[in-house]
Amino acid sequence: EYAMRVTPIDERTSAVLDVMRWVAALVVVLTHINDQVFLSMVETPEQSRTLAFMVWTLISASGNEAVIVFFVISGYLVGGAALAEFLRDGDIKLSNYMLRRCARLYTVLIPALVIGATLDIAGSQLSGGESVYAERLHHLTLAGFLGNLFYLQNIFVETFGTNDALWSLTNEFFYYVLCGVALYALSKNRRPLQRLGLLALLGGICWLIFPKILLFGTLWLLGMALRVLPLRRTLPVTLSVGQFLLTLLAIRVFFDWEWRDTLAAHYGVSLSTAVSFALLIVSLQARPSNDSRALPLLVRHPFNRFAADFSYTLYATHFPFIMFVIALSETLFGLGWRSAYTGGWELALVLLLIVAVMVYAWLMFLAFESRTRRVYEWMRSLRDSLLASLRLRVARRTGEPLGQVNEI
């Protein structure tokens, strides 16, 4: 008889996930740089479609697949950890779970919104910023700021300013909430009326995010499910890596970017990416290894952990910085904004921009994301103080002993 248990993450799987986290964030950066710096493939003259440009275009067009990889990893790590607590204790501490998730998200999101808006406003004032920001300045509104602050982008408001990458944070936030509330509701410790209220809350959230966000939540759930799947037969690791790379290549060769306009096609391609990546994870998970020396040098190199640490900051902050640099370049040199590729020197400049974006994200990480643990401890301390004050008020009014008001 199979007893559900959460598979621990071994060192090799953890190392590969570190690589995938920062590489996925970087691919999103490359996609956005390509979209702003160069003309589309259709607009690019035939003579400019050199081998170097075609390779660059192939790599830089996989931003959607990179985000899907993020969803699977998030479900695997965050959902897996919550499920492990539920299976161990028969319940989860919902307030602790949500505080951890909010500390993780907001420590980066708030600076991303404020500093991103500052860069957008400053860049739009440059003479070269007129064309760069023409389509996006109307996104800089108070309603847009508040909507993005509460993860309502692409539901009630647009992504704030030029920061189009923030769309996926809505998905992540609601997947976190659905996971936590569902596990909390399933506990035997809940009374029938409590469970009914929680199920109503879950239904309301599902209605709010239907159809696209809810549908793509199945990819997040896939990552979570990988932690409890009984693994008997899996592909060898080498073959699983190969099939994942071939899947990405096939998507780039056979699907144009316009397929995103159709939800069914967008989901189908995203599901293919998620399943292919899941096969890679389970092949690693089925062969756990904590011997770092057995890993290839490129996988075990310390840079991967270093880059993975600020991958969320890189993802959430890069777009406004890219737009500001392009506006500055247009102002000073008259180049940088959606021009035709003419030779290798443009790719050299793009490489410099990539390095600048990485440095910027690392500095933002040092200033904000690196303090996530302290932010969580502060939030928990504030919650405990509020609960203690509430207990005291209840005790004074009812005469009951302290401790009758419990945390969720």
Side-chain angles (χ1 to χ4, degrees):
E1 183 179 349
Y2 171 67
M4 184 180 291
R5 65 182 184 87
V6 173
T7 305
I9 302 175
D10 62 286
E11 189 170 320
R12 180 171 67 169
T13 303
S14 178
V16 172
L17 292 179
D18 280 344
V19 173
M20 294 305 301
R21 283 167 59 200
W22 78 262
V23 169
L26 181 60
V27 169
V28 173
V29 172
L30 299 185
T31 299
H32 290 151
I33 288 178
N34 180 70
D35 290 347
Q36 312 312 316
V37 172
F38 296 120
L39 297 175
S40 67
M41 179 64 74
V42 175
E43 297 169 314
T44 301
E46 191 72 32
Q47 64 272 17
S48 296
R49 300 179 189 180
T50 63
L51 179 60
F53 179 70
M54 297 299 287
V55 171
W56 159 259
T57 303
L58 184 69
I59 296 172
S60 64
S62 299
N64 175 77
E65 290 71 57
V67 174
I68 299 307
V69 166
F70 272 132
F71 286 164
V72 176
I73 292 176
S74 176
Y76 187 78
L77 297 176
V78 177
L83 189 57
E85 179 184 352
F86 178 80
L87 293 177
R88 183 187 68 239
D89 302 334
D91 203 349
I92 69 166
K93 292 183 178 179
L94 186 59
S95 63
N96 283 351
Y97 168 82
M98 288 307 304
L99 285 178
R100 283 194 296 270
R101 304 281 39 94
C102 286
R104 170 73 170 152
L105 289 171
Y106 278 117
T107 305
V108 174
L109 176 61
I110 293 175
L113 292 173
V114 174
I115 297 176
T118 303
L119 289 172
D120 285 349
I121 294 170
S124 66
Q125 301 305 307
L126 299 172
S127 59
E130 183 176 346
S131 57
V132 175
Y133 292 93
E135 300 174 359
R136 287 185 168 89
L137 272 186
H138 68 281
H139 293 193
L140 279 173
T141 64
L142 178 60
F145 177 87
L146 294 175
N148 281 251
L149 187 64
F150 293 105
Y151 306 102
L152 298 175
Q153 55 270 38
N154 288 351
I155 300 178
F156 297 119
V157 298
E158 298 173 299
T159 50
F160 186 59
T162 61
N163 205 343
D164 289 352
L166 295 181
W167 71 267
S168 69
L169 295 193
T170 298
N171 295 56
E172 286 285 353
F173 173 76
F174 282 107
Y175 300 157
Y176 292 161
V177 173
L178 288 173
C179 173
V181 173
L183 292 176
Y184 188 71
L186 288 172
S187 171
K188 294 179 180 179
N189 297 331
R190 304 288 85 78
R191 294 189 294 271
L193 192 59
Q194 280 183 306
R195 186 172 288 110
L196 183 62
L198 291 167
L199 291 176
L201 175 61
L202 288 171
I205 294 173
C206 290
W207 173 82
L208 177 67
I209 64 176
F210 180 85
K212 186 173 183 179
I213 297 174
L214 184 62
L215 180 62
F216 277 72
T218 57
L219 310 182
W220 196 92
L221 279 176
L222 173 62
M224 182 178 176
L226 296 179
R227 295 292 296 276
V228 294
L229 286 178
L231 302 174
R232 295 183 176 88
R233 292 185 178 181
T234 63
L235 289 173
V237 174
T238 304
L239 284 181
S240 66
V241 172
Q243 63 82 30
F244 177 59
L245 295 177
L246 284 175
T247 299
L248 296 180
L249 180 62
I251 289 172
R252 291 279 57 80
V253 171
F254 297 109
F255 289 89
D256 292 326
W257 198 238
E258 286 71 23
W259 50 257
R260 295 183 305 164
D261 295 335
T262 305
L263 178 58
H266 188 183
Y267 178 74
V269 172
S270 300
L271 179 62
S272 299
T273 303
V275 170
S276 179
F277 182 58
L279 290 175
L280 171 57
I281 293 179
V282 297
S283 69
L284 293 166
Q285 190 173 277
R287 301 167 180 83
S289 172
N290 291 311
D291 183 7
S292 60
R293 294 169 299 179
L295 295 169
L297 178 61
L298 288 177
V299 176
R300 70 172 187 266
H301 196 281
F303 175 81
N304 295 311
R305 176 59 61 86
F306 165 77
D309 282 344
F310 69 93
S311 59
Y312 171 38
T313 294
L314 175 62
Y315 178 85
T317 65
H318 70 273
F319 212 145
F321 179 78
I322 290 171
M323 298 295 281
F324 177 79
V325 171
I326 291 175
L328 185 63
S329 176
E330 279 286 337
T331 301
L332 298 177
F333 310 112
L335 55 87
W337 172 249
R338 290 183 180 168
S339 56
Y341 176 81
T342 58
W345 66 271
E346 286 104 341
L347 293 182
L349 291 178
V350 163
L351 180 60
L352 290 176
L353 178 55
I354 292 169
V355 173
V357 170
M358 294 287 285
V359 172
Y360 169 75
W362 177 64
L363 293 174
M364 290 283 285
F365 165 80
L366 292 179
F368 303 106
E369 189 182 359
S370 64
R371 306 172 192 273
T372 298
R373 181 67 188 179
R374 273 181 277 178
V375 171
Y376 167 67
E377 294 295 345
W378 174 80
M379 293 173 70
R380 196 170 70 168
S381 176
L382 178 62
R383 178 207 62 191
D384 292 343
S385 297
L386 291 174
L387 285 174
S389 176
L390 180 60
R391 291 189 187 103
L392 183 60
R393 290 186 179 185
V394 170
R396 286 175 175 174
R397 289 183 179 182
T398 65
E400 295 179 0
L402 294 180
Q404 294 298 306
V405 180
N406 298 317
E407 69 174 67
I408 296 175

